[in-house]
Amino acid sequence: MSLRNLVVVLGDQLDPDAAVFDDFDRQQDAVLMMEVAEEATYIPQHRIRLTLFFSAMRHFRDALRTNGMTVHYCGLEDTDNRGSFAKELERRVQKLQPERLKLTKPGDHRVEQGLVESAHSLGRRLDILPDRHFSSPEAFDSFAEGRKALRLETFYRHMRREHDVLMSDGKPEGGQWNFDKDNRETFGKGGLPRIPRPRAFPPDAITQEVMGMVARRFPDSPGTLNAFDYPVTREDARLALDDFIEHRLGAFGRYQDAMASGEPYLYHSRLSCVLNLHLLNPRDAISAALEAYRAGDAPLNAVEGFVRQVLGWREFVRGIYWREMPDYAELNELEADLEMPAFMWTGETKMACVHDAVQQLHDHGYAHHIQRLMVLGLFALLLGVRPYAVHRWHMSMYADAVDWVSLPNVVGMSQYGDGGIVGSKPYAASGNYIDRMSDYCAGCRYDPRKASGDDACPFTTLYWDFLSRNRKRLKGLRHMGYQLANLDRKEPIERKAILERAEALKEAAAATKSAWS
Ligand code: FAD
Ligand code: DLZ
Ligand code: SF4
């Protein structure tokens, strides 16, 4: 019998409830999944990221087959694998002659364009169906219509109302939309409480096989697989969610912005990977948090904080991505032109905060939000690294990095490359911020309060240099006036010393390029 639909399932679309399966007929339709070298090499990628994608894809393939579906699967090491989506699709279409191709909207503009072109050149109809894990780009456009600026807070409130989440008689639950003031605690002098680590999922036989393949095929990739313990199936993704809800959600809000040496996860969920690969539906994550609130197992500030991230930020950056791509990727409002210095890849630096965060990336492919924004991202911003270079680095170093979420977070939120599309001003701060929110500075050779001299904190030096070199661009922005006024209060001799040290830091950083850049 000839093939009716060939359903293409990409590595981050591992959901049997996706719209592409709605009218799937086991007699007439089949699935195509492709492991291709191009996706693993178009930028260098962390071994954990590679293992995660390939292992989760293989588990999903097996689950579909167990469910009676025909899955044509291209293994990365199959001798006839042609190495790219375009070439593999061509090979399969020529062999199977499907009437039609079906695809869930991809998470990467580049991949979508490529598949549209391939289908066109193969003369096949390609139906791209909405991704049910998100509200649609059209819904975001209708929210955005007529607004001068798009702001998370407005969007988030709109989403809360629209989806009736934490609402009570049309008002926000607890009378407030926002519990930010309760959500800025640090661990202080008392030190860290005992925080249960995220549930570990030791590699099974499939994952071990993939780990061997990744080590063999991508020996020069960043990171290590020694501590690989991510969930790679839908069942395990649900267990990871349950583990977060039971053990860490309760204090998620309070310590959302805190950092601690040697502690990668704190009270964070570590759910981004399974959410991004569609092993976990964001609606289920939100429902589980709401249930914990209703049962009295988690306070409102924690649950609201989590909902804000998943229903607010995650949907917001997705909306921005599809609204602004493809031009968005190269935006560079501040004309920053350095590459990522080598120590951001290796962690070989005396800056305790950067060293710790990069070490975590190496070991786990993970850093939590505040490390991303207020340590690693902040350092790149203050130094003046080209935003797209920061995005590429990010895609290489994190297990959860995918184009739609990395670009707006990196180019927009963290580097202000988009000139205010995601956030209203740059997240610029000195080492004092890191000192306030962490224990890093106590163990560092630098002093966060000093801007010049040998022991001056590089963040603090570069913070003043950042303000100084971007003065004209920042002057009109709300909340920047206060920071610029502080710069103006500095004595000329101090300012000169700071700028000289900043130049030396920038020159030294520019002289250290990594092979991965
Ligand atoms: P939690 O702190 O437990 O938060 C819960 C969930 O909320 C996350 O799993 C995530 O799905 C969602 N979320 C939280 N903040 C954001 C946000 N700003 N944008 C989108 N979703 C959010 N997240 C990615 O999934 N992939 C990326 O490539 C990525 N790049 C980032 C780059 C920078 C510079 C910054 C500042 C943030 C980035 N984020 C990215 C967002 C966020 O930092 C991570 O989702 C989060 O740290 C993942 O850890 P977690 O699952 O423990 O999150
Ligand atoms: C990240 C990744 C990798 C490493 N490999 C594959 C692959 O072999 N096949 C695949 O379908 N997807 C892979 N991905 C994810 C893609 O790069 C890309 O992010 C998604 O396909 C976009 O929806
Ligand atoms: Fe980081 Fe500066 Fe603190 Fe050292 S002193 S840990 S470099 S912020």
Side-chain angles (χ1 to χ4, degrees):
M1 189 191 270
S2 69
L3 191 61
R4 185 182 64 160
N5 294 324
L6 184 61
V7 174
V8 177
V9 174
L10 301 173
D12 57 353
Q13 301 180 337
L14 309 180
D15 180 5
D17 296 323
V20 287
F21 293 117
D22 279 355
D23 62 351
F24 192 91
D25 178 343
R26 285 169 179 71
Q27 305 306 318
Q28 305 185 72
D29 301 332
V31 174
L32 173 63
M33 297 180 73
M34 304 170 275
E35 291 180 7
V36 292
E38 188 176 53
E39 292 307 303
T41 54
Y42 77 100
I43 43 167
Q45 282 162 60
H46 200 294
R47 286 162 216 256
I48 292 181
R49 182 178 198 254
L50 295 172
T51 301
L52 184 69
F53 271 88
F54 293 139
S55 176
M57 285 174 72
R58 290 178 186 198
H59 281 92
F60 189 67
R61 167 201 63 192
D62 292 352
L64 293 182
R65 283 182 179 158
T66 303
N67 200 12
M69 296 182 179
T70 301
V71 183
H72 299 281
Y73 195 88
C74 318
L76 191 79
E77 294 190 311
D78 291 355
T79 45
D80 47 0
N81 189 319
R82 294 191 188 165
S84 70
F85 285 147
K87 289 187 186 147
E88 274 300 287
L89 189 65
E90 182 185 17
R91 179 164 79 91
R92 295 296 177 152
V93 165
Q94 278 168 356
K95 188 160 169 227
L96 300 166
Q97 294 294 329
E99 285 167 31
R100 194 164 56 160
L101 301 169
K102 285 179 136 190
L103 173 71
T104 302
K105 187 171 179 63
D108 185 325
H109 184 271
R110 167 190 61 90
V111 171
E112 182 176 73
Q113 291 301 107
L115 288 172
V116 167
E117 279 162 29
S118 294
H120 183 70
S121 67
L122 292 166
R124 295 293 137 159
R125 174 172 156 186
L126 169 65
D127 289 352
I128 298 188
L129 301 182
D131 184 337
R132 286 185 177 150
H133 280 230
F134 302 92
S135 52
S136 67
E138 293 74 34
F140 189 82
D141 282 346
S142 85
F143 159 79
E145 199 57 47
R147 290 179 199 270
K148 267 217 308 261
L150 300 178
R151 290 291 162 253
L152 179 275
E153 193 59 38
T154 327
F155 174 73
Y156 169 62
R157 292 179 189 189
H158 163 81
M159 292 294 275
R160 288 260 301 266
R161 287 194 190 97
E162 177 110 345
H163 296 273
D164 194 20
V165 172
L166 289 179
M167 298 300 294
S168 155
D169 296 332
K171 300 222 166 54
E173 182 82 22
Q176 272 168 253
W177 292 102
N178 188 316
F179 294 85
D180 277 359
K181 68 172 177 4
D182 302 325
N183 287 356
R184 292 201 189 106
E185 278 188 53
T186 63
F187 297 109
K189 298 233 182 308
L192 269 190
R194 209 193 66 78
I195 305 172
R197 281 227 166 179
R199 180 174 174 152
F201 298 88
D204 65 3
I206 292 178
T207 303
Q208 285 177 29
E209 196 178 315
V210 169
M211 288 162 82
M213 178 180 83
V214 165
R216 207 167 44 246
R217 295 283 303 240
F218 309 105
D220 300 324
S221 292
T224 171
L225 286 171
N226 293 342
F228 186 95
D229 64 354
Y230 279 96
V232 289
T233 64
R234 304 183 63 74
E235 295 72 27
D236 285 353
R238 181 68 215 197
L239 293 175
L241 171 64
D242 294 344
D243 171 74
F244 166 66
I245 300 287
E246 187 179 342
H247 298 297
R248 297 187 306 287
L249 173 65
F252 174 86
R254 284 170 71 188
Y255 297 113
Q256 219 172 328
D257 287 359
M259 298 180 274
S261 307
E263 287 294 327
Y265 304 114
L266 299 168
Y267 290 99
H268 293 273
S269 68
R270 200 179 74 147
L271 291 172
S272 49
C273 289
V274 287
L275 285 167
N276 294 350
L277 268 67
H278 291 191
L279 295 175
L280 178 68
N281 193 310
R283 286 177 195 84
D284 293 338
I286 291 170
S287 299
L290 297 178
E291 229 170 84
Y293 172 62
R294 283 193 290 265
D297 294 337
L300 184 55
N301 69 310
V303 173
E304 189 281 318
F306 183 70
V307 166
R308 172 179 292 266
Q309 306 310 318
V310 180
L311 184 68
W313 276 112
R314 194 165 183 274
E315 293 285 327
F316 184 65
V317 299
R318 170 85 176 189
I320 299 272
Y321 179 83
W322 284 110
R323 200 172 158 76
E324 300 292 337
M325 282 298 277
D327 299 343
Y328 192 85
E330 296 288 349
L331 294 180
N332 187 359
E333 171 76 7
L334 302 179
E335 296 179 51
D337 59 1
L338 293 183
E339 292 303 313
M340 233 10 179
F343 58 77
M344 293 290 272
W345 296 90
T346 62
E348 284 165 21
T349 168
K350 295 197 169 73
M351 290 184 278
C353 54
V354 174
H355 172 78
D356 188 68
V358 177
Q359 187 62 45
Q360 258 177 238
L361 289 178
H362 178 266
D363 294 347
H364 305 289
Y366 179 91
H368 63 70
H369 187 71
I370 292 301
Q371 290 176 306
R372 296 183 201 214
L373 187 63
M374 298 311 286
V375 174
L376 300 167
L378 175 62
F379 190 77
L381 172 77
L382 299 179
L383 189 67
V385 181
R386 196 162 50 88
Y388 193 76
V390 186
H391 163 68
R392 272 184 61 97
W393 167 85
H394 195 274
M395 293 288 286
S396 300
M397 296 294 275
Y398 290 78
D400 67 13
V402 282
D403 211 56
W404 66 264
V405 62
S406 175
L407 266 178
N409 272 299
V410 173
V411 170
M413 188 189 314
S414 137
Q415 302 301 302
Y416 196 69
D418 67 4
I421 296 175
V422 167
S424 56
K425 69 177 186 67
Y427 279 90
S430 73
N432 289 318
Y433 174 86
I434 295 173
D435 192 26
R436 196 164 61 246
M437 300 310 296
S438 75
D439 60 353
Y440 286 134
C441 303
C444 185
R445 91 172 269 287
Y446 300 113
D447 182 341
R449 286 156 306 177
K450 285 196 176 167
S452 59
D454 270 357
D455 61 346
C457 165
F459 282 82
T460 305
T461 308
L462 290 167
Y463 166 70
W464 295 116
D465 180 64
F466 173 85
L467 292 182
S468 176
R469 70 177 189 268
N470 290 301
R471 173 191 286 282
K472 275 208 194 107
R473 294 189 182 94
L474 303 177
K475 213 168 51 184
L477 300 181
R478 261 179 73 212
H479 307 302
M480 289 309 295
Y482 167 75
Q483 300 189 51
L484 289 167
N486 282 342
L487 172 67
D488 292 338
R489 272 194 281 278
K490 295 217 172 286
E491 295 295 332
I493 190 161
E494 193 189 353
R495 210 181 303 177
K496 182 164 174 287
I498 292 171
L499 298 190
E500 278 172 7
R501 183 160 195 275
E503 275 321 300
L505 288 170
K506 285 185 281 189
E507 270 172 34
T512 66
K513 202 166 168 255
S514 157
W516 286 309
S517 292

